[in-house]
Amino acid sequence: MLDEINSLFSFLLFISCKGIDEDEVYGKYYPVSYNNTFDTIIIKKDGKYRRVVYDKMKRKLLDYESTYSLDANSIKFESFYFNLDKNLVAFPDDVKDVDMTFSTFFEEIDGNLSLCFGYHEGENCYKKLISK
């Protein structure tokens, strides 16, 4: 069992040191299991990202563009809206809070490139939309 854990740790360390292929990160990400909002993050090749957030009544409450930087398997967003699937019908002014910087890691969830923003592992995740 200890050998299996060491092998898994070595593999994860190798992957994290190797970094992600930068061309893989570009595209549109959408929330997984959100009920109160629909939120998309579009990561563009020019160092900018676009964020569009709708409440559950399908009203667009936020649409803006800002910058990001990549480092191996992580991404750092500037002017970030920290959406934890808040009830924006009851609290629409929450979307005005975009003055933070936020860093997170790319990971694979169900075979899709993903980003998670929650306080705990696997919370508030966004999957990359795969175009066919």
Side-chain angles (χ1 to χ4, degrees):
M1 180 70 170
L2 186 56
D3 288 334
E4 292 170 343
I5 292 172
N6 284 335
S7 295
L8 179 60
F9 178 74
S10 296
F11 175 73
L12 292 174
L13 184 61
F14 170 76
I15 294 296
S16 65
C17 291
K18 179 182 164 201
I20 195 164
D21 180 5
E22 196 171 301
D23 286 333
E24 290 180 36
V25 306
Y26 305 126
K28 190 174 194 174
Y29 294 76
Y30 61 95
V32 178
S33 303
Y34 273 32
N35 297 311
N36 293 309
T37 62
F38 186 76
D39 179 356
T40 58
I41 300 171
I42 303 166
I43 300 174
K44 302 176 181 183
K45 290 183 179 183
D46 63 357
K48 294 182 182 178
Y49 75 96
R50 182 174 176 211
R51 192 82 182 268
V52 182
V53 179
Y54 296 85
D55 67 15
K56 66 183 173 184
M57 305 302 286
K58 299 182 181 177
R59 289 180 294 190
K60 187 189 310 184
L61 298 179
L62 186 64
D63 187 347
Y64 74 98
E65 191 170 87
S66 189
T67 59
Y68 70 87
S69 57
L70 295 172
D71 181 25
N73 283 344
S74 67
I75 186 167
K76 178 180 178 183
F77 293 99
E78 301 295 333
S79 302
F80 190 75
Y81 169 58
F82 192 51
N83 183 6
L84 298 176
D85 197 27
K86 298 173 185 173
N87 182 347
L88 297 178
V89 172
F91 304 102
D93 287 341
D94 280 357
V95 296
K96 293 179 183 176
D97 187 13
V98 295
D99 62 351
M100 73 182 301
T101 298
F102 195 92
S103 295
T104 190
F105 293 91
F106 290 97
E107 52 190 280
E108 188 177 312
I109 299 175
D110 299 330
N112 292 338
L113 190 60
S114 302
L115 296 165
C116 296
F117 300 98
Y119 294 113
H120 303 285
E121 186 175 334
E123 279 188 344
N124 301 95
C125 296
Y126 291 65
K127 287 185 182 178
K128 182 178 177 188
L129 180 65
I130 307 295
S131 3
K132 297 188 180 201

